[in-house]
């Protein structure tokens, strides 16, 4: 178990390093931020002076090594656009983004787990077909389409909920959370249904029925326990996709999170801000995936045996 955990920690560290290098290079391929900071009639000498002041005239490898050295000392840089430490800009908004993603995950679990269980139990019937159609729509529609449709229906036509997030008003969180929840719940339903069907046909379930256990006890105690580990692993992976999808969702709903800030940093070529958002995002995703893998190891004896 400890060996498996050490291997996963080493893999997480390597993933973070490669991701940092990729974002560092790709961000600079978008162009020089000086072009956006200076007026169009600025002289070439002014452009060169500002480029040198930002350290962007040095070789790319030297810039990256300097950046890694600054990270080790806790200095993640200063925003080019806002002229403030990126930590002061990002960390206050991180809580709102994580809370939105957490709310979306909670809504997705509350809806998709019962749907997946009963779709498997009533396999081939109208309930099953209805659940599969709803989940297929959820997997097919991009989040920005779902978000725009929800605004048109619930904000513009029905006037039930606000179209944008307003400070101090929890109702502004409903549509963004449901939009993200619908995206991941579709995959949970389909995966859980498949695993539950296999579990319902297993010998230990047949034995439990022969011993007189109720169908509700069999479904929620025996089958769900067996079907849960792949779903937990899937949730860990999808949490990263969820945070990625939150960029479009936060922009559409004007949500004050780091997804919207990442969009602004990209369009303004604010490299230090974009890099720090990526570090924070990647750290959260890697940590959640690690927790999901450890929970799966604890729940599944076969995985523990394979890890030895």
């Amino acid at each position: 178990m400890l060996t498996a955990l050490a291997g996963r920690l080493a893999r997480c560290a390597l993933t973070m390093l490669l991701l940092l290098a990729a974002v560092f290079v790709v961000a600079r391929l978008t162009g020089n931020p000086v072009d956006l900071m200076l007026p169009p009639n600025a002289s070439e000498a002014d452009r060169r002076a500002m480029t040198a002041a930002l350290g962007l005239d040095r070789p790319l490898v030297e810039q990256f090594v300097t950046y890694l050295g600054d990270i080790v000392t806790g200095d993640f840089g200063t925003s080019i656009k806002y002229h403030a430490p990126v930590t002061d800009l990002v960390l206050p908004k991180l809580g709102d983004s994580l809370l939105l993603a957490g709310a979306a995950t909670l809504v997705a679990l509350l809806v998709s787990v019962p749907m997946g269980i009963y779709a498997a139990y009533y396999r081939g019937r109208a309930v099953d077909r209805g659940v599969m159609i709803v989940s297929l729509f959820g997997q097919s529609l991009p989040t920005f389409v779902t978000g725009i449709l929800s605004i048109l229906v619930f904000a513009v036509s029905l006037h039930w909920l606000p179209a944008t997030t307003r400070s101090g008003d929890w109702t502004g969180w409903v549509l963004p959370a449901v939009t993200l929840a619908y995206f991941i719940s579709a995959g949970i339903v389909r995966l859980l249904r498949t695993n539950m069907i296999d579990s319902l046909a297993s010998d230990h379930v047949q034995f439990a029925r022969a011993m007189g256990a109720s169908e509700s006890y069999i479904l929620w105690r025996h089958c769900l326990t067996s079907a849960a580990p792949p779903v937990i692993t899937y949730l860990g992976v999808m949490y990263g996709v969820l945070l990625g999808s939150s960029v479009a969702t936060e922009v559409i709903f004007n949500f004050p999170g780091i997804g919207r800030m990442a969009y602004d940093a990209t369009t303004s070529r604010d490299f230090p801000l974009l890099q720090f958002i990526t570090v924070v995002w990647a750290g959260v995703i890697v940590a959640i995936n690690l927790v999901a893998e450890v929970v799966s190891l604890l729940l599944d004896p076969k995985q523990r045996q394979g890890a030895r």
Side-chain angles (χ1 to χ4, degrees), residues 6-303:
R8 282 166 171 78
L9 286 173
R11 192 175 63 195
C12 291
L14 180 61
T15 301
M16 290 286 294
L17 181 61
L18 293 176
L19 188 63
L20 270 178
V23 171
F24 193 88
V25 173
V26 171
R28 279 151 181 79
L29 292 178
T30 61
N32 191 339
V34 172
D35 296 336
L36 300 178
M37 298 169 65
L38 291 177
N41 58 352
S43 66
E44 188 60 31
D46 291 337
R47 295 179 187 278
R48 284 199 298 270
M50 181 165 281
T51 301
L54 295 174
L56 299 175
D57 60 334
R58 292 179 291 168
L60 197 59
V61 175
E62 182 183 341
Q63 291 182 45
F64 185 61
V65 172
T66 303
Y67 177 61
L68 290 181
D70 291 341
I71 286 180
V72 173
T73 61
D75 180 11
F76 288 90
T78 301
S79 168
I80 295 174
K81 180 179 179 181
Y82 299 102
H83 307 290
V86 292
T87 50
D88 294 345
L89 296 171
V90 174
L91 295 182
K93 295 182 179 297
L94 177 62
D96 284 342
S97 289
L98 292 180
L99 196 57
L100 177 62
T105 304
L106 180 61
V107 171
L109 286 174
L110 290 175
V111 174
S112 60
V113 170
M115 288 175 68
I117 290 175
Y118 288 107
Y121 189 73
Y122 295 107
R123 180 185 181 187
R125 299 186 188 178
V127 173
D128 182 26
R129 289 194 290 272
V131 168
M132 287 298 98
I133 290 173
V134 172
S135 63
L136 182 61
F137 270 110
Q139 281 192 314
S140 304
L141 292 176
T143 51
F144 70 90
V145 175
T146 308
I148 292 173
L149 289 176
S150 65
I151 288 175
L152 291 175
V153 174
F154 296 105
V156 177
S157 299
L158 299 175
H159 302 287
W160 287 356
L161 294 166
T164 59
T165 306
R166 295 173 297 202
S167 178
D169 184 1
W170 66 269
T171 58
W173 287 56
V174 175
L175 289 182
V178 171
T179 297
L180 290 174
Y182 188 40
F183 176 65
I184 61 171
S185 62
I188 297 174
V189 167
R190 297 175 75 85
L191 181 60
L192 187 60
R193 174 184 176 274
T194 302
N195 292 330
M196 287 290 292
I197 288 174
D198 294 338
S199 185
L200 282 167
S202 63
D203 292 337
H204 74 277
V205 168
Q206 301 304 323
F207 179 76
R209 282 195 175 120
M211 295 298 292
S214 67
E215 289 298 305
S216 177
Y217 183 81
I218 289 173
L219 282 175
W220 291 92
R221 174 65 181 83
H222 287 284
C223 296
L224 185 58
T225 303
S226 301
V231 176
I232 293 172
T233 303
Y234 174 82
L235 265 180
V237 175
M238 288 306 295
Y239 200 83
V241 179
L242 187 70
L243 287 178
S245 302
S246 69
V247 175
T249 304
E250 290 185 6
V251 171
I252 290 172
F253 292 100
N254 197 28
F255 187 86
I258 61 172
R260 184 182 164 200
M261 180 173 278
Y263 172 79
D264 293 337
T266 304
T267 55
S268 60
R269 298 173 188 168
D270 194 341
F271 300 154
L273 184 57
L274 181 61
Q275 287 162 186
F276 183 61
I277 290 173
T278 306
V279 170
V280 172
W281 241 329
V284 171
I285 293 169
V286 167
I288 289 174
N289 273 280
L290 183 62
V291 171
E293 289 188 10
V294 171
V295 171
S296 294
L297 279 173
L298 294 174
L299 288 178
D300 192 348
K302 292 180 182 178
Q303 290 191 38

